[in-house]
Amino acid sequence: MPMAKKKPSKKAVRRSTTKKVAKKAAKKAAKKTTKKKVIKRTASAHKKTAKKKSVRKVARKATTKASKKSITKRAAPKKRIIAGKMVYAFGKKNEADRSMKALVGGKGANLADMTSIGLPVPPGFTITTDTCAAYYKNNKKLPKGLMAEVAKHLISLEKQRGKKFGDETDPLLVSVRSGAAVSMPGMMDTILNLGLNDKSVKGLATKTGNERFAYDAYRRLINMFGDVVMGVDHHHFEAAFDTIKAKYNVNDDTDVPAEGLKELCDAYKAVYAKHVGAKFPQSPVKQLELAINAVFRSWNADKAVSYRRIEGMTGLNGTAVNVQTMVFGNMGDDCGTGVAFTRNPSTGENKFYGEFLINAQGEDVVAGIRTPLHVDEMPKWNNAIFKQLIGIKKILEDHYGDMQDIEFTIEQGELFMLQTRTGKRTGLAAVNIACDMVREKRITEKEALLRIPAGDLVQLLLPYFDPQAKEANKALATGLPASPGASVGHPAFTATEAVERADKGEKVILVRKETSPEDVDGMHSAVGILTSTGGMTSHAAVVARGWGKCCVAGASAVHINECEGTFTVNGQTFGRGDMISIDGSTGEVFAGSMPTITPDGISGNFAKIMKWADKYRTMGVRTNADSPADAQRAREFGAQGIGLTRTEHMFFEGDRITAMREMILAETTPDREIALGKLLPFQREDFVGIFTAMHGLPVTIRLLDPPLHEFLPHEPDAIQRVATNQGVSVDVVRKQVALLHESNPMMGHRGCRLAITYPEILSMQVRAIVEAVIECSNNKIKAMPEIMIPLVGTHQELSILRKQAQGVIDTVKKEQGFKKKLNIKIGTMIEIPRAALTANEIAEHADFFSFGTNDLTQLAFGYSRDDINTFLPDYLARDILPEDPFQSLDQTGVGQLVEMGFTKGRQTKPDLKIGICGEHGGDPKSVHYCHKVGLDYVSCSPFRVPIARLAAAQAAIMDE
Amino acid sequence: MPMAKKKPSKKAVRRSTTKKVAKKAAKKAAKKTTKKKVIKRTASAHKKTAKKKSVRKVARKATTKASKKSITKRAAPKKRIIAGKMVYAFGKKNEADRSMKALVGGKGANLADMTSIGLPVPPGFTITTDTCAAYYKNNKKLPKGLMAEVAKHLISLEKQRGKKFGDETDPLLVSVRSGAAVSMPGMMDTILNLGLNDKSVKGLATKTGNERFAYDAYRRLINMFGDVVMGVDHHHFEAAFDTIKAKYNVNDDTDVPAEGLKELCDAYKAVYAKHVGAKFPQSPVKQLELAINAVFRSWNADKAVSYRRIEGMTGLNGTAVNVQTMVFGNMGDDCGTGVAFTRNPSTGENKFYGEFLINAQGEDVVAGIRTPLHVDEMPKWNNAIFKQLIGIKKILEDHYGDMQDIEFTIEQGELFMLQTRTGKRTGLAAVNIACDMVREKRITEKEALLRIPAGDLVQLLLPYFDPQAKEANKALATGLPASPGASVGHPAFTATEAVERADKGEKVILVRKETSPEDVDGMHSAVGILTSTGGMTSHAAVVARGWGKCCVAGASAVHINECEGTFTVNGQTFGRGDMISIDGSTGEVFAGSMPTITPDGISGNFAKIMKWADKYRTMGVRTNADSPADAQRAREFGAQGIGLTRTEHMFFEGDRITAMREMILAETTPDREIALGKLLPFQREDFVGIFTAMHGLPVTIRLLDPPLHEFLPHEPDAIQRVATNQGVSVDVVRKQVALLHESNPMMGHRGCRLAITYPEILSMQVRAIVEAVIECSNNKIKAMPEIMIPLVGTHQELSILRKQAQGVIDTVKKEQGFKKKLNIKIGTMIEIPRAALTANEIAEHADFFSFGTNDLTQLAFGYSRDDINTFLPDYLARDILPEDPFQSLDQTGVGQLVEMGFTKGRQTKPDLKIGICGEHGGDPKSVHYCHKVGLDYVSCSPFRVPIARLAAAQAAIMDE
């Protein structure tokens, strides 16, 4: 069913949902959705009511409808908001719906929503966010009439559950939770078992025949209530528990017998009385009143306030309070608790997938003492419940139109749904589920595209470790997940060594403190790269990502002894003979060899998703590639051209570096020109290769960018070697190294500044490009080069160099008697803040702009990306930065420069082609931003091309 | 006579003039106006006409008027612009005036103006700029009727001079010059002697009785005409001249006899014919027509076009052509040529001052073969001419209201004025002349202030070398004039050595490759500083300027051998026993000891100027000072507070550095706190000293800014010493040095980033400030500290650190039982581009902003100021940068960030105090800019405070 005809209002609703999904996806980047995760979730324990029959009926009804419609048409009818009404029920009477999130909060809306589609949700009620606002207006006192309204709803709950609040024989117990319209850390979490007191706990014990259970519930209430509501430090309760455990000579909480828990309740009450200065309240209504007060208070807790400030949240009037009847999964063997996904979250297979524990509550699962059972085993235990769950799977998918992650509890043979939410999934599962759901006509192609966190696609291209093998191994050390993938090999400690050993067929992992352009050969030969310093945008990380090669960077626990050819981690030493495995997706380093799994590449559902993405996106996607092989691969991944070819990477191989060094050591322009003459054929050959691979597609070539010292060695031995090679004295080399030394090379003599002082370098490079174009043209290969001049900060630089380049183009054309039109564009990178500020002037001389957001970020923040790790962790931990600005573009600050550069550039030339070639070009959030700004294309490393394609499509769809 | 009643239009005229003066003043920075300069000027040679009598009459008349009026009332009556008129005469008939600059160009207006006040100017005419525009419209052909109009004016000239153009016995000769409304390099310069041909040259020879003179004039014409008009390369003529010189066996042009020059004319004609493909035109009118064509053509020469583009000149329609009759100073001993100033340009003394040569032309003066005579000697030669010149001095000063720089020629006993313009002068002369002229009621106080190039005031405060001694010495090497002044001493090669030898009473100049904060002690002990690397904003330069200590930086010819204690310049070696003299105002380094002169400081006329400046300026002026002594001095120079105290400079002396290093080497927070505890009393004491010196004035204290590695040594020996001092192993120190190493320390772990990771450092510093304030208060000293948090890039940083600082303030206040209000402001530097971009957010947490334009410039351009010298010279030479952006604020680019920071800051807080404390605070042009933006104050090094006061006054006056 096509989406195009939807009304804007609904679309807007959906868009905001999708945005959140995208946001979540970005946040979880480093986290994993593995099997382990499933059992680490808190599942709360609850108690019975809703009637099976009606549930089934509703479920059936919903199913019939659902098969005809896409989820978007199934928004529940709007409930009425009644002025002055402070409490909304869910359960038999369902007074709220999901459109009322602002009033009843996210959790309240969700509970009402689940109830409305007939799921067996323990009944309860929600006190509105308006009431919270009224509380603050009322000088932090509950507004008049609230507790009376609450009392009415309590009576309704008592009727529905057939129990009485505070009853001495069969008490109704409730949970109390906060819940604003947007989920927010820092607010009060949960109080369970509210309603118990010295008398009702006995009733509960008798009624359930489980004294231990009853007193355990009571001691939890006293603890939580004391801690969360009254502010008694948790460790006071811990101390009391320790005393009891010592008395009964047990280690685990669970081993304390019922008698001990009874004593513990008394001890807890004493702790409470001592620190609160009053007895633990025996009146359940008083308990509830105090808990409601605490929830409201927590809305203005420091952490919640600062979270709202950081996230820029305004317009919220407070938190709601959810009061829900309790159900318990630990009252006997006809009880249980579990979590499940409606489809397989790892593969996407359309099969109910989950785990459960018999006679347990959520906390037991967390404690990890017992191994849960797979849901496939549930029929053997209770087939009716299993069937009910399968029905619920369908209801949920019909209603939400997506795979759900649910929590449930079975109390004495009766199923209760405690939670449902969109399930997290692997990249593979996301792709498969989205495609399946389009096939099932549950969602449209566009919806399918919006469903897949673009960043997760990388998982579908790169090898990964067998999850079971990984689970069995403990990581030696963890660094930064600098370039995803998995690789296994023997450590090599220098680039030369890596090349030599790799040439002999050995699989090596290059292990270095940090890498520099000199190491590029060795990095290329290695199957993976491990560094002990450097960040996500260090040289190693950037180069590795460009190649799609696995890299772990900045693993600071790894101490390298290059001379001895060993490294040490926590006292364990590894040498050239040892095997190591590194996971570039997680940053983990393992001892030994672990089996890897290699995905299929772009085929099947993945290919289908890519086809859809290309259909809807409006922004181009290019790649950053420095070699014909990379270019070819990127083209296979769908790149529509090259957005950045770094010519300097070409200068490191074999004879080239010799000629390059000869050029650098030259003392006169003619000598430099001779050396450049030797480099020319290499450059030409490189360009012919790349043009051939990109036949018919544009190729942006950045002229020499790094400072020249990067091409000279710095260690005495290497200097000696270079001197010998170059036939000059060691002193000459040493002097040149010293001359080229800079305090801050990032801001030194590099980029177009080199071309200004050594025009002959630019001339050689442009000549190589033109000669290559002509050679290609003669071989019927369509080369479309775009010459990009880096590090421009003033329009004069570009004007001078453009003129020079144009002169070379004309000369070569004339020399070769080439008659056809040579359409070679000349443009610049916008990577210096001043270039963005004066983009109107610079555009006069540019055919295109490409934002170099790596350097732009460095300069806008004044952060050297090589040094940022000294303070970045603190900055992230203290929320000074929401995320690493080298990973995801800082839209607030750096973004202003991007927008300025864009607007001013287009002001001068309305048809100026503008792209981005920084690392951000492969970050989904940044791709969305680039679309919003209006860029023509993004360019990213080959392995991120599919990500960018999808992200661009998502941005276009969200922008419709 | 007060200026306030002038009409706006006139004011605007004056303002633009003053602006130009200010611009020129800035440009000449490095140049000097010395005696030498005077004789190095081209004085053109001309020929007689105007009548002595009438000149005197007019002169007398003008004088009488002038004594009653200020210059601004004396604007010449407007001449009529006549539609279609292409040529305007000056001379007997004077058809233009200085209001017609747009039409007749600057030079044409000047010639008309001089004529109109009765000066004896050789008559001529000007072809209008409109005619140039018509030429281009007419497909680069002279517009119809032009040559006819020219012919009419030629007839008038012939009548006035009693000679005929092209006459074979007594030819009228003319010069042809270009001249747009604004002076512009790249356009055609001058053609002299036009009108000569094979016949008239003979007439000229006969008439003057000087054959050599005639043929010399002719060969010059052929050469200039061939080169400038017809584009024949000058070297072809040179070659012909060489042949002749060889033939006559002479070395100098002037030794070639008349016969040889005759032959040379033939040879030149042959060169001309060969390269032009036509004979040298014998028709004087043809010569003139071709020359006019050439002038118009030159308007669109590449260099002129690019100059207009770079300077952003629009609205000009072309160049004018000035045709003027020639006069000659080299026709005999009753002839002469000279240049003079109407007052002494070195001291300002109101006495005619200049030099002349008998029987000579301008070029002879340039050749420097003959020594000119002082004008005082003129009466002995020709008293009438001398008296006439004295009369002209008065006419000129009355007319222009300023000291003039004139060129004159005496042809056969008759004086001709060739040029007058406002005379350049030293700072001292500028101050004295301005004050004298106010006393003479020629100008108002405001005009006086506008007259003085603010930057030149530094000459009135710092010692300088005796000009005569300087003239007698040749500089050994020239570096950058990093901090003005003159000093003489023995070289010292390390900071320690400098301190030790200075302590023994020796005068030492610290000679280092570059300096670092470790050298501060030695720099302080030395009388001057010389470095072989580093730029105008290198550490040495910045620190030296702060202290007003003489410094020459980046003298790359100086090769230092620190181990041997010597340095070598061009093979000459200097050791500890040798004396050297360095001139920080010019960058020169001299061998031996040269006598210095120390000015009087702020007194007399200088004090008067400062009083006037304070009366008119609206912007505050503070100083950058790190010690009580500096603060005291700055206060004497008129600083109204401290805008920047760099606390880190306090950490280098004696015991402090030990405690500082202990802090850095500490491995735990408690250990760090112990070391900080040792630093606390030092800091407190420093602050008490500064607060005392600045009693009642605000003191902005910047918290620790540099990266910690700057406090640790890097050489093995020094590391060993520190290890011993600190009682730790060498390895510990070495490890810490390695840990603190950064690739780009400028963008590394420094500024507020240190305070975020080591909050205890900030706490110690704030505590020291508060304790100092309380101590001062108890001693009745009013301390007004402003705590400045450096390197803020996000509002979160400032918010966190402000809260922390406020906490410390409250704690200390409580501890000490201090009851009075502590008004301590907390603000930040805006020096990170992102801070300017998000100033609205940052202002929320700031009581004030101070633009740190040094770092802001570094980051906006991506220029490391320590490394910029590798490309800056090329950038300046190729006009990529109009000037060093670290010297004068880049208003186009960096200025946008300043304006953004200002506007966004005030958006959030309309009363936010905003200043600037970068090096630019002492640069007049930047001060003007700061006034324009609206800053509350500028802050600069103590010795530049008077400059900033004057510049601020100028800005305010120009803004009225």
Side-chain angles (χ1 to χ4, degrees), chain A residues 168-188:
Chain A
E168 295 183 14
T169 54
D170 188 10
L172 173 75
L173 303 185
V174 298
S175 66
V176 179
R177 289 181 174 90
S178 67
V182 185
S183 136
M184 194 180 304
M187 285 199 309
M188 202 190 84

Side-chain angles (χ1 to χ4, degrees), chain A residues 753 797 834 862 875 890 904, chain B residues 753 797 834 862 875 890:
Chain A
R753 299 166 198 172
E797 289 166 326
R834 194 181 185 281
Y875 269 51
D890 162 50
K904 291 185 174 196
Chain B
R753 299 165 198 173
E797 288 165 327
R834 195 180 186 281
Y875 269 51
D890 162 51

Side-chain angles (χ1 to χ4, degrees), chain A residues 662-676:
Chain A
E662 187 182 326
M663 193 276 285
I664 295 169
L665 294 170
E667 293 190 350
T668 65
T669 305
D671 283 353
R672 201 155 33 240
E673 280 169 346
I674 290 170
L676 286 164

Side-chain angles (χ1 to χ4, degrees), chain A residues 692-765:
Chain A
T692 307
M694 298 309 274
H695 170 63
L697 295 179
V699 174
T700 309
I701 298 167
R702 181 179 70 183
L703 301 185
L704 191 65
D705 183 54
L708 296 183
H709 81 86
E710 288 197 6
F711 299 95
L712 289 183
H714 296 87
E715 283 85 42
D717 282 7
I719 288 179
Q720 172 69 63
R721 238 178 295 128
V722 167
T724 312
N725 265 350
Q726 300 284 344
V728 295
S729 77
V730 169
D731 256 8
V732 167
V733 181
R734 210 183 289 135
K735 201 183 113 200
Q736 194 62 19
V737 170
L739 258 177
L740 292 176
H741 170 79
E742 292 180 310
S743 307
N744 297 289
M746 192 268 133
M747 306 164 81
H749 197 182
R750 51 173 286 235
C752 71
R753 299 166 198 172
L754 285 172
I756 293 284
T757 49
Y758 305 117
E760 53 277 10
I761 300 180
L762 177 136
S763 291
M764 181 282 283
Q765 293 201 292

Side-chain angles (χ1 to χ4, degrees), chain B residues 651-763:
Chain B
F651 290 138
F652 282 99
E653 289 164 36
D655 294 348
R656 302 167 179 215
I657 186 75
T658 312
M660 188 67 190
R661 284 170 175 164
E662 187 182 326
M663 192 275 284
I664 295 169
L665 294 170
E667 292 189 351
T668 64
T669 305
D671 284 352
R672 202 154 33 240
E673 280 169 346
I674 290 170
L676 285 166
K678 295 181 188 169
L679 283 170
L680 176 68
F682 293 126
Q683 283 261 289
R684 187 176 49 227
E685 181 190 319
D686 290 328
F687 293 138
V688 167
I690 290 179
F691 292 155
T692 306
M694 298 309 274
H695 169 62
L697 295 178
V699 174
T700 309
I701 298 166
R702 181 179 71 185
L703 302 185
L704 191 67
D705 184 54
L708 296 183
H709 81 86
E710 289 198 5
F711 299 95
L712 289 183
H714 297 88
E715 284 82 43
D717 282 5
I719 288 178
Q720 172 68 62
R721 237 176 298 129
V722 167
T724 312
N725 265 349
Q726 300 285 342
V728 295
S729 78
V730 169
D731 257 9
V732 167
V733 181
R734 209 184 287 135
K735 201 183 113 201
Q736 194 63 19
V737 169
L739 256 177
L740 292 176
H741 170 79
E742 291 181 310
S743 307
N744 297 288
M746 191 268 132
M747 308 164 79
H749 197 182
R750 51 173 287 235
C752 70
R753 299 165 198 173
L754 285 172
I756 293 285
T757 50
Y758 304 116
E760 53 278 10
I761 299 181
L762 177 137
S763 291

Side-chain angles (χ1 to χ4, degrees), chain B residues 121 302 457 482 514 559 669 872 925:
Chain B
V121 175
D302 282 355
L457 290 186
E514 58 191 343
H559 295 281
T669 305
L872 185 63
K925 210 199 285 191

Side-chain angles (χ1 to χ4, degrees), chain A residues 771-783 818 820-822:
Chain A
E771 290 181 357
V773 172
I774 293 177
E775 188 176 325
C776 284
S777 171
N778 294 339
N779 294 323
K780 306 253 178 292
I781 287 160
K782 190 173 175 198
F818 191 77
K820 278 184 264 179
K821 211 186 146 208
L822 266 187

